[in-house]
């Protein structure tokens, strides 16, 4: 749970700091804070974990950074593939019958995703 909290904290920190140098400085401070509490008692660890999760929720960015090609990014689905029915209006050739259609989220359509 501590590792998840640390990784999620780094992601939230990256949402707030655009400059790589500043991100590295703040990440180093955060790592020192985690390392300072490394050998604490189990009761203190539970308390610190709870406080860390509360702090993470309070620091979460309202508009988190997204990679441009991922859902929510600026380039997502910019050039989606055309449906085969449009490419071949007279019927799909046999060599393309194995190609599965693609959903809006760029996942291939399978029977369990229909």
């Amino acid at each position: 749970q501590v590792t998840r909290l640390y990784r999620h904290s780094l992601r939230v920190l990256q949402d707030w700091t655009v400059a790589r140098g500043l991100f590295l400085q703040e990440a180093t401070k955060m790592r020192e804070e985690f390392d300072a509490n490394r050998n604490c008692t189990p009761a203190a660890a539970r308390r610190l974990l709870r406080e860390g999760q509360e702090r993470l929720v309070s620091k979460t960015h309202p508009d988190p950074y997204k990679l441009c090609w991922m859902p929510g990014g600026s380039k997502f689905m910019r050039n989606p593939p055309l449906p085969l029915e449009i490419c071949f209006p007279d019927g799909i050739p046999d060599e393309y019958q194995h190609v599965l259609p693609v959903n809006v989220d760029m996942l291939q359509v399978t029977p369990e995703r229909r």
Side-chain angles (χ1 to χ4, degrees):
Q1 287 180 335
V2 174
T3 305
R4 283 190 212 141
L5 177 64
Y6 177 68
R7 290 183 66 198
H8 200 134
S9 299
L10 286 176
R11 287 190 199 109
V12 168
L13 178 63
Q14 192 174 18
D15 291 340
W16 286 102
T17 54
V18 179
R20 186 73 176 163
L22 181 60
F23 169 77
L24 293 175
Q25 290 174 357
E26 295 298 319
T28 303
K29 291 177 190 175
M30 185 186 308
R31 179 63 192 223
E32 290 171 356
E33 191 176 341
F34 271 84
D35 285 342
N37 296 310
R38 174 173 252 161
N39 297 321
C40 62
T41 63
R46 284 190 296 274
R47 179 184 54 81
L48 288 169
L49 188 62
R50 183 175 23 83
E51 289 174 1
Q53 290 168 342
E54 291 169 0
R55 185 172 165 193
L56 180 67
V57 168
S58 70
K59 300 278 185 184
T60 300
H61 197 283
D63 186 22
Y65 178 78
K66 296 192 187 314
L67 295 173
C68 62
W69 58 84
M70 298 300 286
S74 61
K75 290 185 180 179
F76 180 68
M77 292 292 294
R78 184 169 288 183
N79 296 311
L82 293 173
L84 292 176
E85 294 81 19
I86 293 176
C87 295
F88 305 105
D90 297 327
I92 301 171
D94 292 334
E95 63 260 18
Y96 292 101
Q97 290 294 333
H98 70 283
V99 177
L100 293 173
V102 177
N103 277 331
V104 175
D105 59 358
M106 296 299 289
L107 296 174
Q108 288 185 337
V109 176
T110 57
E112 54 275 354
R113 288 194 194 135
R114 286 184 189 221

